Amino acid sequence: MTFLNTIVTTVALSAALYLVGPAVSAQRAAGPAAAPPAGDDPARKPTPRLRDGHPDLNGFWAIGRGPDTPVGSSFGERNAFIKRGDARNAAAQYADPNQPPYKPELMPKVEELAKNESKVDTAFFCKPGGVPRIGPPHGIVQAPGMPIVLLYEVIAGNTFRLVPTDGRGHTANLEGLYYGDSIGRWEGDTLVVETVGFNDETWIGIYGWLHSTKMRVIERLSRVGDTLRYQATVEDPDVFTRPWTMNAWTSVRTTKELILENPPCVESDIDHVTSFDEKTRR
Amino acid sequence: MKNTYLASVLIAAASIAAASIALMSGTPAAAQSASGSAPGTPANAKPIPRMADGHPDMSGVWWPGHDLIPAQASAVYREGERQGIGAQSFGSLYKPDAMAKAKALSDKDDPALWCIPSIIGPTPLVGNGLVGEIVQTPKTVVQLIETYHGFRIIPTDGRPHRDDVVPSNHGDAVGRWDGDTLIVDVTNFSDRNWLHHHGDVSFHSDALHMVETYRLADADTLEINVTADDPQMLTGTWKAPTVKLVRAPFEHIMETSCENTETANLIEAASKDNYGRKAR
């Protein structure tokens, strides 16, 4: 799927939802009509471990159920347990009680950015989505003595992150990064990834959710059977009044899919999109 | 050799990244690489690291064994020529039609300027830059390419090529072990990118088929060979010059992304400077 198609689809979807309103929302909340047998529930499968005793995160993780679709991602859509997170319309998003705790004086700016997303959101101009907007990893590689590798299929160009878990601290003097400098540690069976060193070009989410270079992101990944639970907490004293824990995601392990490469992101496509900001109307 | 200015600009950017890494690693790069397997030193006596399954473990950060600074960017070209890219490039085997097309192209047509990664650069693991990292599990070899920040997933569990995917810049790779050599078969390329970098004209068709081999010549030296067939473009099988990479003196690779807007700025700057040609 091309970048433009994704946008157009999103616009169409958003517009349709917006017009049809509550009935559709109710249906979507109810989930798929024919639920698979409970015995197939990947969360009930055993959780394999590596020799070091930590859960084995290796594999491909199809984007599953979550609050919002990560930027530019379409990985994993072919399984009853892999119902993608919905690209919400504005009404649904703003109705979520878990809103980012922006300082009151910044709210007008956030709203202004949201209204002009197609013009100012760098993710729509082929720039990297950044952390945590990129969402849960689509692939994880975990090898002894090496950093844990998080792989992402994204429209702006597939990317990866390295998470050393050998107890080292952050690399000194790193700044201005899209994906930051990450270090990881195990808290029981949960991999905790702490990331700093960001630029302030990216957003946390599509609704004008800006952040500063002081942002610190804590991501928690835990494998439960053949599912991967992912939750991010964002700390940013320059823009937030308190740390913000975003809604959790559940991805599902998939053996059928490997990460694909999208066609090159062409930022001139954006000129043809005129109605994307419709979705931010309340 | 083609005009070099644009490529030099990009190389300079990559060099800054590489130099920064070396600086940030806190270890003098030159000192480290000198203590490694510099040319002329006796073969490394350390045993080749192995996985639990007995296969060589190629995990680690690999690079050509030297650093770059922007002022010496043109040295990359000499290095490229030393490695044989250029005179022995993919394009040297073009059929007449392709050769005619190649003559009409130059470094400013390099798709890498639009952030589309080269297939090989000097060698597949490093792509458009100098540094690559391998993370190996019993079922997969993952190559992380620093410049343009891409990756390749090479399954080694015996699965065949996928028949359900669209062509891509890096193609579809499957690996297998032949003794201690990893053999990677790559098909299903798009025809968007070039094989080489630095403006070395090396377009290909979607019929391109590559075979890459990786072997640990010793514990700290990774030897890479590549052959390529492209019956639509080439008169015969192209064999890339053998590239040897050594372990890098920094622990992990960095975020070095390519963005269209920056590239556009570089191109604009280069055009203002007449692509490095002296004004008449």
Side-chain angles (χ1 to χ4, degrees), chain A residues 127 147 159 178-179 261 267, chain B residues 149 168-169 252 255 259-260:
Chain A
K127 295 285 194 83
T159 195
Y178 287 97
Y179 297 108
E261 185 183 88
E267 59 186 287
Chain B
H149 216 61
S168 61
N169 294 329
H252 297 299
E255 175 181 316
E259 296 158 32
N260 289 352

Side-chain angles (χ1 to χ4, degrees), chain B residues 55-56 175-183 213-215:
Chain B
H55 293 307
R176 65 183 170 86
W177 291 97
D178 179 11
D180 281 353
T181 300
L182 174 67
I183 301 177
T213 65
Y214 296 81
R215 187 180 76 89

Side-chain angles (χ1 to χ4, degrees), chain A residues 6-19 68-69 71 86-95 110-111 113-119 121 124 133 203 205-209 273-282:
Chain A
T6 309
I7 292 179
V8 171
T9 308
T10 310
V11 172
L13 189 67
S14 306
L17 286 173
Y18 193 76
L19 292 174
D68 209 342
T69 304
V71 63
D86 299 325
R88 294 176 174 187
N89 67 344
Q93 175 55 45
Y94 287 120
V110 172
E111 288 175 11
L113 292 174
K115 283 178 191 162
N116 292 289
E117 184 185 15
S118 68
K119 301 171 200 70
D121 183 354
F124 290 106
R133 192 175 178 188
W203 292 357
I206 61 175
Y207 296 93
W209 291 348
V273 178
T274 55
S275 58
F276 191 69
D277 295 329
E278 289 293 313
K279 73 176 175 47
T280 61
R281 287 188 187 168
R282 300 207 199 199

